[in-house]
Amino acid sequence: MEFTSILDLKENPDRNHPRTAFFQDLNLNRVIDRICQEWEEDVSSFYYYFPVDKVGEDYRRAVYSDVKQVEVYDVLRSFVERMRARQEAFEQKQKVNSQLVRLQKMVWHIAEVKHYCDALVILDRELSGFSLKSMGMREFQKYLKKYLAAEEFQQLAKTVCDIQERLDAVHLILTYENGRINVAAGTAQGGYDSFLKNCFPGVSRQFSSPFGVSENLSDLEAEIMKLVQKQNPELFHAVADFAKKHREYAGETLLRFASEIKYYLSFYCFERKMQESGYVFSTPDVAEDEEMYARGLYDLALACVNMQEQKTTVPNDMEYRGGECFFVLTGPNQGGKTTFARSLGQLVYFVKMGLDVPAAAANVHYFSRILTHFSVEESVETGRGKLKEELVRLSPMMEASPKNAFVVINELFTTAANYDARIMGKRVLEHFTARECRGIYVTHLKELAQEGEGIVSLRAMLDESGKQNFRIERSAAVESANAINQVSKHRLTYEQLKERLG
Amino acid sequence: MKAFLLYQQQEWVNTGRYFDHKSIVQDLGLNTLFMAAAKDMEKEDGKVKLVQEADMFIAETMKQVMTVPLTTEEEISYRQDILKDCLEDEALICELYELSAKTLQKWDKLGRRVSSTGGDRSSARNLVTEIHLLQLFVDSLGCLKEILENHTFHSEGFAGLKKRLEEEFSAGLENNLRQILNDVAFYANEKEHKDNISGRRVNKPRIVMGCGIGDGLKPDGFTLEELATEMRWHRDPNGTIGRMQDYWSSLTTDSVSVQKDISLSQSADYMEQQVVQYVLSCCTPFNMAFNSFFDQLHFQAAYYRGAVNLKHYMERFHLCSCFPTVGAQDELCFRELQEFVMAVEQRVSPVGNTCDIEKKMLLIVTGANQGGKSTFLRSIGIAQIMMQCGLQVAAQEYRSGIYPSFFTHFTRREDSEMNSGRLDEELSRMSRIIDNLGKDSLVLLNESFASTTEKEGSVIAYDIIRAMNEAGVKVLTVTHLLSFAQRMYGEMAQKEGGKAEFFCAERLENGKRTFKMIQHAPELTSFGLELYDDIIGKN
């Protein structure tokens, strides 16, 4: 089968699906925005759909481990830069509008084709130095070699180089005097530039075009260029000829590769930046026959924020031991419960995307999809209204839930009476465990942590002084010391006051 | 480029004030000095002929500089040396001050205030301004060089300024800048009055550039070959001769007439502007280097200008003057020290005091009211402030330590009544002082804690002053709290190596007050009793 895409083995029906709610619940949209910050718009769309199956996830994981070699990354990155230059030339070509519009378009076309040829030839040359292991990259390499060897491409590359060289060789001297600009062929020495450089050593100012930066030619420039055209008839004949012959030239598959490879590049670029700030990433194992676990797992969205504010992010460990399938997480407010739940969801997301995970080490099983339910932030809605809204959002999630999904539920039924909430919570848990789902359930109801098979009770911990330390540990749920929490939250205990006033 | 006339290695940054400089200025009456420094005197045959109106910039400058203490002997003598040069050759400092002031004035006229708050830097109008500004800088620096060459001086400060100027504004650089100004002259001078009629010679540019063909046929890779301004006869392009010349050129050469239509001539104007802007942007480092220089020079020269004026005041009221010297921290020696503020305000020559205090960290002055105690304390405070900013002081000799951490705690008239709220205010002021005491502190207390009973006040004063003394703080206090003074005297003056000195207002045998302070044990004297004796008689 011939190579078609570096992202998917077969066409992916989810490509254009609307974004599901979990991106927002897990704060993944913020992470994705950060990842794609310095990239073109088309990149972020790749982050919003999963590969169709486990084979598809493994296909990406293999490609990513090839891309992660720094040298390969650099080669691909400069390829993408060259293709971006091609794209810019293409866009400029559409935009020009001056007296010499036809001729200008032709010259832009030459630049566009030149960038294209250069990008591919250089990519092929530089990639051949590496031994690539992934099926995706190897198939692409094969495809590229075949494409470049074809007579059609050879001809194209040769002609475009030749014309470009001749254009580059044109040098003019413009003399402005007495209301006229004289145009003559000749190479200038930059006499006044040198004089200025001598006056102010160490200053490097570039004398840019005194005709303005607009890509369009002004009337004055057009008049000058008409004279140049008159002085170089053969060259401009060749330019026109090329434009006519090679109007369509680009290979669809290669353009698609240039766009899709940015998925891997953008993530690696991001990962490296985070690593420089001390955040750990690792390639996850995906062994189904071993326990699912993660060590040093953290919330990537929070890490992005903390990194800017120079704060640290507390990592946590987690493990589903034999037969365990659901965490029930309780503990004090502001203790890192939601953050932990998010980090779990993010872990599964990045594994499914075939990328590295924000943890020191991890083994993650295959999940068919991710389901999340987060309570809307404490709004002023009436209790019943909010409960109803929660149930309305929950119901399709439960009805449609396929086997083997990963479920993240955060603070369900906070507005219902305790007794009701317990019963409802229990039913929800039973529903998902019966469908071989795994996940985490964050709640303030300690009773839920004691119910049912396969349920593990986790608790957000406090340090000796009763302050939140954001550690999540296996521990039976306890009644929270609310009063102390309140005082300590307002930093009004005796020690704290001493410290504040000290 | 740095002026470095206030500090050896630093320009004026306006930080490092005395902690409570407002109180110091108020308690010592320094505003009088700031205003005096701002007034220039014209003299004829040694007599004052005319006092000029105050230059408020100098007053403001004195206020700023005098409230920021120098911290080392080296820094003080650096300023003293410069001041000696200024006193020897007053024309030098006058010319420097005037030059910097005029430069800034012209700069303002060019729209400095406006352009610094934004505006399109590249507009033609601003570009012309930039050329004029460059011209102004070049001319002013040329004048500065001349001034420094025409005067002699010995101080490191002036010598350094001259040397730096010669390095950073070398003759070579000056020539090049003048060349550039000549080359862009067409832009600055022609654009200003464009509606010239023909028949006169005008500045016209000649520009030669190199380029190639860039992306999308755009001329690219520009280099500037030549730039010059030439005088040419103005010729109407639509006149007969103009048209003939134009036609001839279009036949014989590959050239474009920019006068053919409005779009072309606009492009040509833009081109001229871009070329000039490029050239000026190359000069930016020069502008940047001297951007804050004239402000600094103006400010720093203003200080010495003010210092010279203060010297004139000393001469006018026949006060002594000297350059103070730096001594040990427990030293305070002076001869014929006069209260300078009082002299200026009352146009008199106040009584001079002499004292030799060595190895003492506490001075307690007691005595009758109206005996000159406060004047004495103030005269020391004023001299100390003047010394610590490099000025001369009104004495034959003055020697003291340096106390960057300097405080005054004077009972103000309005809060001298007995009132717990007043005491509260006094104590809170004291507490702020305690909070901010540093290394090398000097505290001047004038009738502190007078807002309570003598007994209570004495206890408070005793505790606070002893505590400060033990912490290494030097304290000079004028007090009527006799039990406090006597308790201190009992404890310290009697024993060997006691760190306190006691002064009293002098009274002659006949009971007459001389307003002089002398070394004396604190004693019970009361102006009230004297007054009673004076008026009712001793019987």
Side-chain angles (χ1 to χ4, degrees), chain A residues 43-62:
Chain A
V43 182
S44 71
S45 68
F46 301 139
Y47 282 92
Y48 285 100
Y49 66 92
F50 289 128
V52 281
D53 52 18
K54 183 155 187 348
V55 181
E57 290 175 18
D58 291 339
Y59 177 78
R60 286 197 191 179
R61 208 167 355 261

Side-chain angles (χ1 to χ4, degrees), chain A residues 174-382:
Chain A
L174 309 178
T175 306
Y176 173 63
E177 197 173 18
N178 228 4
R180 294 192 78 85
I181 295 179
N182 187 292
V183 182
T187 307
Q189 310 299 323
Y192 209 83
D193 289 322
S194 321
F195 165 66
L196 289 170
K197 259 202 192 88
N198 283 337
C199 292
F200 309 100
V203 185
S204 67
R205 300 267 168 183
Q206 197 58 45
F207 178 43
S208 55
S209 170
F211 299 120
V213 287
S214 152
E215 271 76 16
N216 275 323
L217 295 182
S218 68
D219 289 347
L220 183 57
E221 284 172 304
E223 292 292 335
I224 291 169
M225 279 304 156
K226 278 182 199 160
L227 291 173
V228 175
Q229 200 181 358
K230 191 182 111 190
Q231 290 167 355
N232 303 277
E234 270 174 46
L235 170 58
F236 285 92
H237 185 74
V239 169
D241 198 42
F242 180 88
K244 205 161 36 172
K245 266 196 202 150
H246 302 281
R247 192 182 299 275
E248 300 296 334
Y249 66 93
E252 267 315 310
T253 305
L254 291 166
L255 292 185
R256 182 169 172 185
F257 175 83
S259 165
E260 290 181 344
I261 194 68
K262 286 187 275 191
Y263 168 73
Y264 301 101
L265 297 179
S266 59
F267 189 77
Y268 181 62
C269 180
F270 167 77
E271 180 178 334
R272 217 161 44 166
K273 250 187 236 165
M274 294 295 289
Q275 280 171 338
E276 278 163 19
S277 302
Y279 288 97
V280 181
F281 281 82
S282 62
T283 308
D285 290 328
V286 290
E288 294 288 333
D289 47 359
E290 282 168 33
E291 305 291 3
M292 176 164 163
Y293 73 89
R295 269 186 264 298
L297 177 68
Y298 57 90
D299 178 349
L300 196 51
L302 183 66
C304 289
V305 176
N306 283 350
M307 193 172 76
Q308 277 178 336
E309 293 170 6
Q310 313 265 326
K311 288 198 289 198
T312 53
T313 309
V314 176
N316 273 293
D317 296 345
M318 73 92 183
E319 184 176 13
Y320 292 98
R321 293 177 193 153
E324 295 171 349
C325 57
F326 241 88
F327 294 136
V328 172
L329 176 54
T330 55
N333 287 334
Q334 309 294 324
K337 295 198 300 282
T338 304
T339 299
F340 181 73
R342 279 201 182 110
S343 68
L344 238 61
Q346 291 175 3
L347 173 73
V348 174
Y349 167 79
F350 285 111
V351 172
K352 282 187 75 57
M353 294 301 279
L355 299 168
D356 282 356
V357 296
N363 183 45
V364 179
H365 296 171
Y366 174 74
F367 294 100
S368 60
R369 55 191 293 193
I370 298 174
L371 297 171
T372 60
H373 190 288
F374 276 51
S375 68
V376 183
E377 280 294 314
E378 287 91 2
S379 64
V380 215
E381 283 174 278
T382 63

Side-chain angles (χ1 to χ4, degrees), chain B residues 193-210:
Chain B
H193 27 86
K194 204 165 176 177
D195 48 353
N196 284 328
I197 352 135
S198 47
R200 62 186 289 268
R201 284 160 70 86
V202 290
N203 284 325
K204 282 277 185 189
R206 176 182 151 82
I207 300 171
V208 181
M209 300 173 292

Side-chain angles (χ1 to χ4, degrees), chain B residues 185-230:
Chain B
F186 73 90
Y187 200 85
N189 300 331
E190 195 224 12
K191 299 276 157 170
E192 276 188 323
H193 27 86
K194 204 165 176 177
D195 48 353
N196 284 328
I197 352 135
S198 47
R200 62 186 289 268
R201 284 160 70 86
V202 290
N203 284 325
K204 282 277 185 189
R206 176 182 151 82
I207 300 171
V208 181
M209 300 173 292
C211 70
I213 300 176
D215 288 342
L217 205 64
K218 186 93 180 157
D220 192 11
F222 276 87
T223 55
L224 187 56
E225 287 301 306
E226 285 176 41
L227 170 66
T229 294
E230 296 169 342

